[in-house]
Amino acid sequence: MSMQPFASETGVCAALMRNNIDTDQITPGHTGMKVQKTGFGEGLFFNWRYLPDGGDNPDFVLNQGPFRDTKFLLAGTNFGCGSSREFAVWALRDFGIRAVIAPSFGAIFTSNCYMNGVAPIILDEAAVSAIAGEIAPDHCTMTVDLVRQVILSPDGHEHRFHIPDLQRERLVEGLDAIDATRKRDDQIAAFQTADKLRRPWVYAVEGAAA
Amino acid sequence: MGRTFFEKVWDDHVVADLGDGAFLIHIDRHFLHEVSGAVSLKEIDARHRTVRNPELTFGTVDHVLETVPGRGMTTRMPGGDDFLREFTERIGPHGIRFFDLHDPRQGIVHVIAPELGVALPGMTFICGDSHTCTVGGVGAFAWGVGSSDSEHALATQTVIMTKPKTLRVNFTGQLRPGVHAKDMILALIAKYTADGGTGYAIEFAGEAVRSLPMDGRLTLCNMAVEFGGRTGTVAPDEITFAYLKDREFSPRGADWDRAVAYWRTLASDADAVYDMEYELDCSTLEPQVTWGTSPEHSVAIGGVMPDPAASADPIARTSRQRAADYAEIEPGSPVMGLPITGAFIGSCTNSRIDDLRAAAAILKGRKVAEGVTAICSPGSTATKLLAEAEGIDRIFIEAGFEWRESGCSLCMSGATGGESFPRDARVIASTNRNFEDRQGPHVRSHLASPVTVAASAIAGHIADARAFASKEDEQ
Ligand code: SF4
């Protein structure tokens, strides 16, 4: 999967202001069991988004008018905590969400976002709540600029954020991390050679045969 | 200025500084399981990449594998068979050591990694599962990764990482009888909230940790991720060395001596400074049980259901109200005495031999209450065999527990459409996540230590194990 580049995007922003939205809620396990990396958009927030009879739950924000095309999602603290399942990020991406904006994120989720072209943007609680307060169905267009590292809220307020350079460049260019790291194989080999002298037991894995 | 334990381990693993806080970090051990592992290996194969260091990589099956006796390579979990099949087919050709379903070394990855000496002090250790931090109990720097990071590690034996800040949690005082590692970690998360440790490399320290046996340390570190931690570790000491000596993949002979000498240098220097310090007094700690849908929703066993409306912060209030609605418990009512219909002892949190022994001491000579489905799935096949050799299986079975094979089982299978507790059940479990629907549709899970689970199974409601002096003690 090559990643979709993300320099500056403008689109619909929705608010899901709950704390601790874990990856089990983002993609309940029963919706994500496929040995592949795409095709998970339908399962996003499954238990909240659909009624027991399979129909759309009209109370859930992503089922409401313009928010069906949500590109940016605002959330409470600790978004993406819980299981490491990358399905959660694939579902957000497949739905069309390019960035999640929250006061804090699960650490594994953050890494998974970088690997898949979704921007995990940290803003303080006051800023997230302020933007959430601006949003209305007819007033939900926002811009996220990863090059300048600013968000332009629906009311036109600028909020600065920071994503580490390397991760940000990869998001902006849509670069594959493995290809980039493989170019450093000499460095990795040199590390291992030196480390073998210091910690030989790490590399001499005995035990029974495979 | 001195360095912390974490900083010493980190410094020994930096392959390259990539700028602005990002580093290329060497991975010493990488464990695969059939869910995230199947996806990573499929992608590696599809792109014709090779596994750079298969000798540093291991695999087993635990997540979707059934735990019912006589199990095979099929599961009732929708789509699960594909993971078992693809993983098993793909792992072999790469020359990765694989403990399949018939291997006596099979088990939940985080349980077998220390048990086999695959995870060792001062190592970087990853697995495509959030509870990889469990093996921080032996002093490894261990964390969970997604399939893409796992793929990156398969191809390059490294991952890209931002250096986490350090947090030391001082557990002061000594635990009183009947209070366990699970209670320590639940109380900590309740005190500082589920994101209190977000992003930190957490070191668990203090008197109570130093005297915890290895199984308890593994429980403590297991739930570091429920605290938001990037990792959770306990600096290695004599308890660690005694535990690891002569394990199958532990170093031997001269290598062992060299390793121990190196491990002894890892403890934080006296003048090392942490970015943050938390403290919890263990001398007054009570057994804990959760009421809601986040591990932070825990109270002392004698406590009452808190009132969500009492939270000052509006988002916290809504979140807690939602949890209270899901749990269907009246604010102000005691948690003890809540009737349960299910009890589960298993998972990477609490299914090691010490856990099973402690639960058996409660169960011995007693019966599970009518109407309670009680299940035990030991954390590894080796643990199961050891328990059987000690007669622990008989105690569980005679009390009315189902005695299962090893795997993740009811820790999460309810969420994936596999075996689950029935809709609306109220369950007490030795697991780590009480999330909505995790153990089955609308199942309410209460997290607690194995002894609290055992006592509650017998009582038929949430109960304090200290009221159940073991029959042996009475004799
Ligand atoms: S036992 Fe539960 S928490 Fe542990 S690895 Fe398995 S599913 Fe995850």
Side-chain angles (χ1 to χ4, degrees):
Chain A
M1 272 292 304
S2 55
M3 300 198 316
Q4 204 184 338
F6 178 175
S8 176
E9 304 259 349
T10 299
V12 173
C13 180
L16 194 56
M17 298 305 287
R18 293 178 198 159
N19 292 340
N20 301 323
I21 295 179
D22 58 78
T23 52
D24 280 53
Q25 305 312 322
I26 300 171
T27 41
H30 62 91
T31 66
M33 300 300 281
K34 282 177 278 198
V35 191
Q36 58 195 51
K37 290 180 148 195
T38 55
F40 297 97
E42 285 294 301
L44 181 69
F45 296 120
F46 191 92
N47 294 345
W48 297 343
R49 198 161 138 214
Y50 304 107
L51 297 169
D53 69 4
D56 287 356
N57 174 5
D59 294 335
F60 188 64
V61 60
L62 297 186
N63 290 329
Q64 297 164 352
F67 301 117
R68 289 180 176 275
D69 299 316
T70 294
K71 214 170 194 177
F72 311 119
L73 189 67
L74 297 167
T77 53
N78 209 17
F79 186 88
C81 60
S83 151
S84 61
R85 67 183 66 174
E86 203 161 316
F87 306 115
V89 177
W90 298 330
L92 288 162
R93 179 202 60 196
D94 292 352
F95 182 89
I97 289 172
R98 303 303 314 276
V100 183
I101 300 116
S104 59
F105 290 94
I108 305 169
F109 179 85
T110 303
S111 261
N112 289 344
C113 281
Y114 294 143
M115 294 306 260
N116 291 284
V118 175
I121 297 177
I122 296 179
L123 287 187
D124 63 36
E125 257 179 275
V128 177
S129 295
I131 302 174
E134 295 172 17
I135 294 175
D138 57 353
H139 185 69
C140 56
T141 306
M142 194 164 96
T143 298
V144 174
D145 187 333
L146 286 188
V147 180
R148 288 180 55 231
Q149 303 191 81
V150 289
I151 285 175
L152 199 62
S153 77
D155 280 1
H157 297 300
E158 274 204 2
H159 297 271
R160 309 210 142 265
F161 61 87
H162 178 73
I163 291 182
D165 289 346
L166 176 93
Q167 314 290 19
R168 198 166 52 83
E169 280 159 23
R170 277 185 35 230
L171 289 170
V172 171
E173 311 273 341
L175 294 179
D176 182 286
I178 297 178
D179 290 340
T181 302
R182 275 159 61 102
K183 297 199 181 110
R184 295 180 178 268
D185 199 58
D186 288 354
Q187 262 177 303
I188 298 167
F191 173 91
Q192 290 188 339
T193 305
D195 196 29
K196 259 174 212 163
L197 296 173
R198 185 177 43 175
R199 302 184 306 148
W201 63 89
V202 172
Y203 301 88
V205 189
E206 294 188 9
Chain B
M1 193 175 70
R3 291 181 300 162
T4 63
F5 165 43
F6 169 74
E7 284 159 344
K8 293 181 188 181
V9 176
W10 176 271
D11 290 349
D12 278 355
H13 289 87
V14 173
V15 174
D17 181 344
L18 305 174
D20 196 24
F23 292 85
L24 194 63
I25 293 296
H26 187 262
I27 299 303
D28 297 337
R29 293 286 182 271
H30 185 182
F31 225 124
L32 306 174
H33 64 76
E34 77 274 28
V35 177
S36 53
V39 180
S40 317
L41 287 174
K42 186 174 181 177
E43 203 68 13
I44 287 283
D45 291 346
R47 300 209 187 181
H48 309 289
R49 284 175 166 145
T50 48
V51 175
R52 194 183 188 288
N53 290 101
E55 75 284 9
L56 307 183
T57 313
F58 293 76
T60 195
V61 279
D62 58 0
H63 272 68
V64 305
L65 186 69
E66 297 268 320
T67 56
V68 289
R71 66 185 174 186
M73 286 290 280
T74 56
T75 158
R76 71 194 88 176
M77 219 174 276
D81 293 359
D82 295 343
F83 286 91
L84 287 168
R85 194 193 60 251
E86 292 228 24
F87 184 63
T88 305
E89 282 171 10
R90 290 179 189 279
I91 192 167
H94 290 287
I96 298 168
R97 283 188 179 82
F98 177 43
F99 312 133
D100 71 9
L101 108 117
H102 302 295
D103 195 302
R105 296 167 293 185
Q106 179 274 339
I108 303 174
V109 288
H110 320 311
V111 176
I112 65 176
E115 201 171 78
L116 292 168
V118 172
L120 297 170
M123 276 186 169
T124 45
F125 182 107
I126 62 166
C127 170
D129 184 278
S130 55
H131 292 99
T132 304
C133 51
T134 310
V135 308
V138 297
F141 169 34
W143 70 101
V145 296
S147 311
S148 299
D149 269 333
S150 170
E151 206 182 305
H152 189 279
L154 287 169
T156 68
Q157 207 56 35
T158 62
V159 296
I160 298 165
M161 212 176 177
T162 309
K163 185 176 180 181
K165 289 186 176 169
T166 54
L167 161 65
R168 177 164 59 187
V169 178
N170 282 303
F171 286 101
T172 59
Q174 290 290 0
L175 293 173
R176 296 180 293 185
V179 188
H180 296 266
K182 182 65 156 287
D183 304 310
M184 292 164 67
I185 191 70
L186 285 176
L188 180 77
I189 299 170
K191 182 172 175 186
Y192 292 98
T193 78
D195 74 343
T198 292
Y200 286 111
I202 305 171
E203 182 178 340
F204 297 112
E207 206 186 326
V209 174
R210 280 292 139 232
S211 40
L212 268 187
M214 187 49 67
D215 284 1
R217 294 178 181 190
L218 293 162
T219 298
L220 199 60
C221 292
N222 173 267
M223 291 190 70
V225 68
E226 308 310 327
F227 196 36
R230 196 71 176 112
T231 188
T233 54
V234 174
D237 59 12
E238 298 308 318
I239 290 178
T240 319
F241 309 146
Y243 174 89
L244 289 171
K245 184 123 181 48
D246 299 326
R247 303 258 163 194
E248 181 173 348
F249 296 97
S250 289
R252 292 172 195 286
D255 261 358
W256 170 261
D257 296 335
R258 280 189 71 170
V260 172
Y262 170 82
W263 296 338
R264 284 189 202 284
T265 67
L266 293 176
S268 291
D269 298 325
D271 56 344
V273 177
Y274 293 78
D275 294 301
M276 180 69 88
E277 302 243 14
Y278 293 159
E279 197 171 295
L280 191 104
D281 178 11
C282 289
S283 65
T284 55
L285 189 68
E286 293 281 301
Q288 303 284 310
V289 61
T290 65
W291 57 264
T293 56
S294 160
E296 75 182 31
H297 297 153
S298 100
V299 290
I301 189 116
V304 295
M305 168 76 187
D307 185 357
S311 303
D313 170 58
I315 303 173
R317 190 157 61 231
T318 329
S319 307
R320 286 170 87 88
Q321 186 59 56
R322 208 188 139 76
D325 292 345
Y326 184 86
E328 292 180 300
I329 310 172
E330 276 300 307
S333 63
V335 175
M336 203 152 47
L338 269 175
I340 53 153
T341 54
F344 178 62
I345 294 180
S347 89
C348 53
T349 317
N350 275 127
S351 61
R352 283 168 285 270
I353 194 68
D354 285 359
D355 301 318
L356 303 185
R357 285 177 187 148
I362 303 282
L363 295 174
K364 192 165 189 194
R366 297 197 170 96
K367 294 270 180 231
V368 167
E370 225 177 274
V372 175
T373 305
I375 296 168
C376 175
S377 172
S380 68
T381 299
T383 302
K384 177 174 180 270
L385 295 174
L386 177 58
E388 287 170 356
E390 294 181 11
I392 287 175
D393 60 325
R394 298 308 320 158
I395 297 175
F396 271 84
I397 292 164
E398 279 160 21
F401 264 78
E402 273 182 55
W403 183 254
R404 295 279 187 93
E405 298 292 337
S406 175
C408 295
S409 179
L410 284 149
C411 172
M412 60 97 196
S413 57
T416 50
E419 50 186 334
S420 67
F421 286 104
R423 180 173 277 282
D424 300 330
R426 190 178 293 285
V427 171
I428 188 149
S430 74
T431 57
N432 47 44
R433 286 193 176 138
N434 48 354
F435 297 166
E436 290 179 23
D437 306 313
R438 182 157 171 108
Q439 296 192 292
H442 202 243
V443 169
R444 276 71 56 86
S445 307
H446 297 271
L447 308 178
S449 75
V451 291
T452 304
V453 175
S456 305
I458 286 164
H461 53 77
I462 295 180
D464 189 339
R466 293 170 300 184
F468 288 68
S470 83
K471 291 262 157 146
E472 247 158 44
D473 295 346
E474 285 165 18
Q475 280 160 14

